[in-house]
Amino acid sequence: GRSVNNKAVYLEDRMSIDEKWTLSPGVRLDHHNMFGSKTTPRATLNYKMDDDTNMYVSWGKVFNAPNTDDLFWPDDGPTVGNPNLKPETGNSTTIGINKKLNDKTQVTASYFKSQLNDAIDWAPNAVGKWTPSNVDKQRKQGAEIEIRTALSPNWRVAGAYSYLKVENMASGASSYTDDVNNGQPHGYRLSVDYVD
């Protein structure tokens, strides 16, 4: 019986600085029925090393409103929502490279770092129920590498490895501590796709 509504518009421009450098600035305006309006800028700088390789760095502001589960999950089991949550805000930076090894195989790698205020984190409360709350400050950093290749005109396979480190700082604390809910920082993914 509860709902949220978020409307957004996004504008981006792509500007060629020269034959190798491209700058893409952008801005997004969100209007949330519970949390009002927020403008978040973003920019990506891309460098074309050669016909098969490009590197990029991107930076952007973050606005992430709580979803309906975070806010309104009913108190009828081991979890319960929190209608007093605030949106996550902050900024994020990503550095990456895309490399075409041959006509069939591509490799992508990236590293990111983010700094968030009021990060939404699910954890057990005083009576043992999982519920979300806002962490005063949170920083994340991680990396991912993926290899994609075509086995045939119809079959494709991809494998990836990712790493994520999450640290929190509670209100009034003087240092960050590891997020105890980030119990599996290493991720592995394998996918096989058929395209007709």
Side-chain angles (χ1 to χ4, degrees):
R2 305 295 298 270
S3 65
V4 297
N5 182 277
N6 188 70
K7 297 177 182 178
V9 292
Y10 184 76
L11 178 66
E12 184 181 70
D13 189 18
R14 179 172 295 179
M15 300 181 293
S16 295
I17 301 172
D18 58 27
E19 292 182 354
K20 292 185 175 291
W21 292 93
T22 305
L23 177 64
S24 300
V27 64
R28 175 183 169 115
L29 173 64
D30 286 85
H31 180 74
H32 198 283
N33 68 315
M34 294 179 63
F35 303 108
S37 298
K38 184 72 174 179
T39 301
T40 48
R42 181 181 178 87
T44 300
L45 183 64
N46 187 79
Y47 176 66
K48 182 179 178 181
M49 300 177 67
D50 54 47
D51 290 340
D52 297 324
T53 312
N54 76 288
M55 299 179 65
Y56 65 90
V57 57
S58 67
W59 172 90
K61 287 283 189 180
V62 175
F63 172 75
N64 183 31
N67 62 38
T68 51
D69 285 350
D70 295 330
L71 294 165
F72 307 125
W73 190 279
D75 189 4
D76 58 3
T79 58
V80 58
N82 179 359
N84 299 314
L85 290 173
K86 295 180 285 187
E88 296 178 326
T89 59
N91 61 78
S92 179
T93 302
T94 303
I95 300 172
I97 185 170
N98 303 306
K99 174 70 174 178
K100 184 178 179 181
L101 299 180
N102 53 50
D103 291 339
K104 295 182 178 181
T105 306
Q106 278 188 320
V107 177
T108 63
S110 62
Y111 167 81
F112 85 93
K113 191 171 185 177
S114 66
Q115 177 74 51
L116 298 177
N117 298 315
D118 297 317
I120 298 170
D121 192 40
W122 283 77
N125 61 15
V127 295
K129 289 198 172 190
W130 282 82
T131 188
S133 62
N134 289 113
V135 178
D136 190 44
K137 294 183 184 297
Q138 183 180 81
R139 61 187 184 191
K140 298 179 182 178
Q141 58 180 326
E144 182 176 51
I145 184 169
E146 181 182 49
I147 301 176
R148 300 188 301 272
T149 190
L151 302 177
S152 71
N154 302 106
W155 288 96
R156 299 172 187 169
V157 63
Y161 165 76
S162 61
Y163 172 77
L164 177 64
K165 181 178 179 64
V166 183
E167 296 175 297
N168 297 326
M169 183 188 294
S171 179
S174 59
S175 61
Y176 285 88
T177 58
D178 289 338
D179 186 345
V180 295
N181 296 318
N182 186 36
Q184 296 178 322
H186 302 278
Y188 306 90
R189 187 176 72 253
L190 177 66
S191 64
V192 179
D193 299 315
Y194 177 80
V195 181
D196 193 1

